[in-house]
């Protein structure tokens, strides 16, 4: 699936000031199950000397989850000698994910624009529209001096296209016995097939799809979710 994003060098959602950590907006197509967010550091002030450490927490909208966090291209270990090596840490939790990076020798990296972390997220089934990501508790330091502290900003995840609710064969926004009946009618040829009617994902609409819907109604889950 296509993921459209603004890169670190192109834009900042944060106020134009030295030391901001931010995440550029992204756009994904309906049905996309995962995407990568970039945590970026923007240096807009002339004469800024660099940074030796940073931290931030990332809070995703409900239903979205963080699956992996890795250091970004600006902090890749192979780009620096031992003196400029940055320790990179992340902690993924249900309510928020935490990122920090620091140089134990306080060796400042000159010029700070760029990606400091890649955050892989999962996108819930049926997502559509705009969702807000919060970047909180940000802090950037240089040589023991806190340059920017506890600022917050937001980013948008836009999921393009209509939401498709699994099992909502008749498209009324709910999964109930009417959908099981609708699937039966598709099989009998009295209704046109819909994408949501292929509940088990085998590429066709058949009685197992109706049984999947019945299972969802009775047990609250589709058989492949149990």
């Amino acid at each position: 699936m296509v993921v459209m994003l603004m890169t670190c060098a192109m834009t900042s959602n944060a106020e134009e000031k030295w030391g901001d950590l931010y995440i550029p907006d992204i756009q994904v197509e309906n049905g996309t199950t995962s995407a990568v967010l970039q945590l970026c550091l923007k240096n807009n002030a002339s004469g800024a000397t660099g940074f030796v450490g940073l931290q931030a927490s990332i809070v995703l909208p409900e239903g979205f989850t963080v699956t992996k966090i890795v250091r970004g291209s600006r902090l890749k270990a192979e780009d620096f000698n031992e003196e400029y090596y940055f320790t990179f840490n992340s902690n993924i939790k249900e309510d928020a994910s935490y990122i920090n990076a620091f140089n134990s020798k306080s060796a400042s990296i000159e010029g700070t624009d760029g990606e400091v972390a890649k955050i892989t997220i999962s996108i819930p089934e049926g997502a559509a529209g705009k969702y807000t990501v919060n970047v909180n508790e940000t802090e950037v330091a240089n040589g023991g001096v806190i340059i920017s502290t506890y600022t917050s900003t937001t980013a948008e995840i836009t999921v393009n296209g209509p939401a498709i609710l699994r099992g909502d064969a008749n498209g009324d926004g709910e999964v109930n016995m009417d959908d099981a009946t609708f699937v039966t009618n598709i099989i009998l040829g009295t209704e046109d097939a819909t994408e949501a009617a292929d509940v088990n994902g085998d590429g066709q609409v058949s009685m197992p799809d109706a049984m999947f819907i019945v299972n969802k109604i009775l047990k609250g889950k589709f058989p492949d979710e149990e």
Side-chain angles (χ1 to χ4, degrees), residues 80-212:
F80 306 105
N81 58 31
E82 183 179 353
E83 180 182 7
Y84 289 99
Y85 178 78
F86 267 69
T87 298
F88 182 86
N89 301 295
S90 63
N91 188 6
I92 299 173
K93 294 187 175 182
E94 185 174 347
D95 59 340
S97 294
Y98 301 88
I99 297 168
N100 70 70
F102 63 91
N103 184 301
S104 61
K105 296 185 178 181
S106 297
S108 175
I109 295 180
E110 301 296 326
T112 59
D113 289 359
E115 174 194 77
V116 294
K118 287 180 180 290
I119 306 157
T120 303
I121 64 170
S122 66
I123 299 172
E125 181 181 358
K130 294 182 182 295
Y131 301 87
T132 300
V133 178
N134 289 288
V135 185
N136 300 327
E137 301 174 344
T138 66
E139 190 169 279
V140 180
N142 184 18
V145 177
I146 304 300
I147 301 168
S148 176
T149 182
Y150 284 87
T151 57
S152 297
T153 187
T154 61
E156 277 191 351
I157 301 172
T158 301
V159 183
N160 297 320
I164 298 175
L165 179 61
R166 185 183 187 190
D168 181 20
N170 64 2
D172 67 355
E174 300 178 355
V175 178
N176 51 37
M177 283 306 300
D178 290 342
D179 296 298
T181 301
F182 195 90
V183 169
T184 302
N185 290 337
I186 293 173
I187 296 167
L188 295 175
T190 58
E191 296 284 0
D192 293 331
T194 62
E195 185 173 350
D198 180 19
V199 189
N200 64 2
D202 66 355
Q204 59 185 353
V205 178
S206 56
M207 282 309 298
D209 296 304
M211 297 307 299
F212 263 58

Side-chain angles (χ1 to χ4, degrees), residues 1 6 8 11-12 23 32 68 117 148 172 180 199 219 221-222:
M1 294 293 180
M6 302 296 284
C8 291
T11 185
S12 168
I23 293 177
T32 302
K68 183 172 67 173
S148 176
D172 67 355
V199 189
K219 298 183 178 180
K221 295 181 179 181
F222 293 111

Side-chain angles (χ1 to χ4, degrees), residues 46-61:
S46 60
T49 56
F51 74 103
V52 298
L54 56 87
Q55 70 174 33
S57 68
I58 312 299
V59 180
L60 296 181

